[in-house]
Amino acid sequence: MRIRRAEGRDAGRLTRLVRSSRAYEGRYASMVAGYRVGPDYIEAHRVFVAVEEIPGDEGPGERVLGFYSLLVEPAELDLMFVSDQAQGYGIGRRLVEHMRGEARRAGVDGVRVVSHPPAEGFYLSVGARPVGTVPANPPAVMWDRPELVFAVAPVAPVAPEVPVMPVADGGAGE
């Protein structure tokens, strides 16, 4: 598996992943029924996709395992999905680690997540801490959602190398 920057050509596959997620069945289905991850969204934001190379007769292809979208101003994990078939293999954890690195490179010290209620346990297990609850906003969202934050350690400054100067012996014993 590798994680790469999403491209406009990934839009259809990412949209299908969102709309087919079992996490959004039943009472949550309306939330993603008409949802679309378009090429314009991918171009405007930091969207990264986890893919698995698959061999093919016409050259290798890719299977989308999951993706995330990081907004920088203000810092928020806007979307994160792992395909139902790929859950339980550490892909979500790897995407979160990648997101934290991307946030660090962008100079962000914390990333907000307004979680889908069933995903809260996952976010807590990968280091997010709860900070509150976002109330329902009918008709778009009919339920309260947990609000969490991922702390992002700043990039440690690299100290410049200082040349080592030989110490003169002072002539004793020469």
Side-chain angles (χ1 to χ4, degrees), residues 116-161:
H116 178 49
E120 180 180 20
F122 165 74
Y123 288 123
L124 292 171
S125 77
V126 292
R129 62 180 172 77
V131 294
T133 301
V134 175
N137 183 20
V141 181
M142 302 299 289
W143 51 87
D144 294 345
R145 294 171 294 159
E147 181 179 12
L148 306 106
V149 171
F150 282 104
V152 177
V155 175
V158 177
E161 286 190 35

Side-chain angles (χ1 to χ4, degrees), residues 20 24 32 34 37 41 61 78 83-84 98 105 124 143-144 155 159-160:
S20 67
Y24 284 88
V32 297
V37 180
Y41 180 88
D78 189 40
S83 75
D84 293 337
H98 190 277
R105 284 184 287 285
L124 292 171
W143 51 87
D144 294 345
V155 175

Side-chain angles (χ1 to χ4, degrees), residues 1-74:
M1 184 207 72
R2 69 183 174 92
I3 299 173
R4 64 165 173 78
R5 187 80 185 240
E7 300 171 358
R9 65 184 173 87
D10 295 315
R13 294 188 296 172
L14 301 186
T15 296
R16 280 190 297 282
L17 197 155
V18 169
R19 289 184 184 176
S20 67
S21 173
R22 284 192 315 241
Y24 284 88
E25 290 178 333
R27 69 181 274 211
Y28 300 116
S30 64
M31 185 75 180
V32 297
Y35 200 88
R36 178 178 169 269
V37 180
D40 51 338
Y41 180 88
I42 291 170
E43 294 301 319
H45 302 293
R46 294 170 191 239
V47 181
F48 290 86
V49 61
V51 295
E52 174 184 47
E53 302 291 329
I54 51 175
D57 292 338
E58 298 176 25
E62 293 179 329
R63 178 180 341 198
V64 172
L65 303 174
F67 77 100
Y68 76 87
S69 172
L70 174 65
L71 309 181
V72 175
E73 296 264 341

